[in-house]
Amino acid sequence: MDYQEEQLNEIEALDSIYYGDMEILEKDPHVFKIPIQSDCVVDEHQMNCLLRFQYTPKYPEEIPIIEIENCDNIDEDVERELKEYLLTQANENLGKIPTVGNTPLMKLI
């Protein structure tokens, strides 16, 4: 498997999906952020955060490093559940490209 080619293809796909919202921080290794927000509003405040992904050298056969940053109106329990969900999905999809499949689902927080 050509890891670099797989990673580049995913970056291009994500950039087309999140055009203007996705921020590419580094290219080697690939590190990027995607803002997500909930359709749910609590006390007139919308929940949102940034998902930060860093590919490992053997991604997609290894899970990416996933961090959640800049959470607004999200309590620690929800943040922890979100990260657990992302890691579970990434593990279940090893060898496939899990980030593309998971990120749109995060709009459901």
Side-chain angles (χ1 to χ4, degrees):
M1 174 179 285
D2 184 342
Y3 300 116
Q4 288 288 34
E5 182 178 342
E6 292 288 332
Q7 293 172 15
L8 186 57
N9 288 341
E10 180 171 326
I11 293 293
E12 290 173 358
L14 285 169
D15 194 37
S16 70
I17 293 167
Y18 294 98
Y19 183 77
D21 289 330
M22 181 174 149
E23 180 182 1
I24 299 172
L25 304 172
E26 295 178 38
K27 294 187 178 190
D28 190 23
H30 292 285
V31 180
F32 56 94
K33 292 182 182 181
I34 298 173
I36 59 169
Q37 60 188 14
S38 171
D39 291 334
C40 176
V41 176
V42 177
D43 295 328
E44 299 182 22
H45 299 285
Q46 190 171 38
M47 296 185 292
N48 60 71
C49 63
L50 290 172
L51 296 181
R52 183 182 185 276
F53 296 92
Q54 178 176 333
Y55 291 158
T56 61
K58 293 185 179 179
Y59 175 85
E61 291 188 3
E62 297 175 336
I63 63 170
I65 298 166
I66 302 170
E67 297 176 13
I68 301 173
E69 302 177 344
N70 300 342
C71 293
D72 291 325
N73 305 311
I74 298 176
D75 66 36
E76 290 178 11
D77 290 336
V78 172
E79 183 179 342
R80 186 173 39 257
E81 289 174 19
L82 176 59
K83 184 159 186 179
E84 287 174 11
Y85 174 80
L86 286 166
L87 291 172
T88 298
Q89 291 298 306
N91 277 305
E92 288 177 1
N93 291 293
L94 279 176
K96 302 172 188 171
I97 301 287
T99 308
V100 168
N102 291 334
T103 306
L105 298 176
M106 294 305 93
K107 293 185 184 280
L108 300 175
I109 61 169

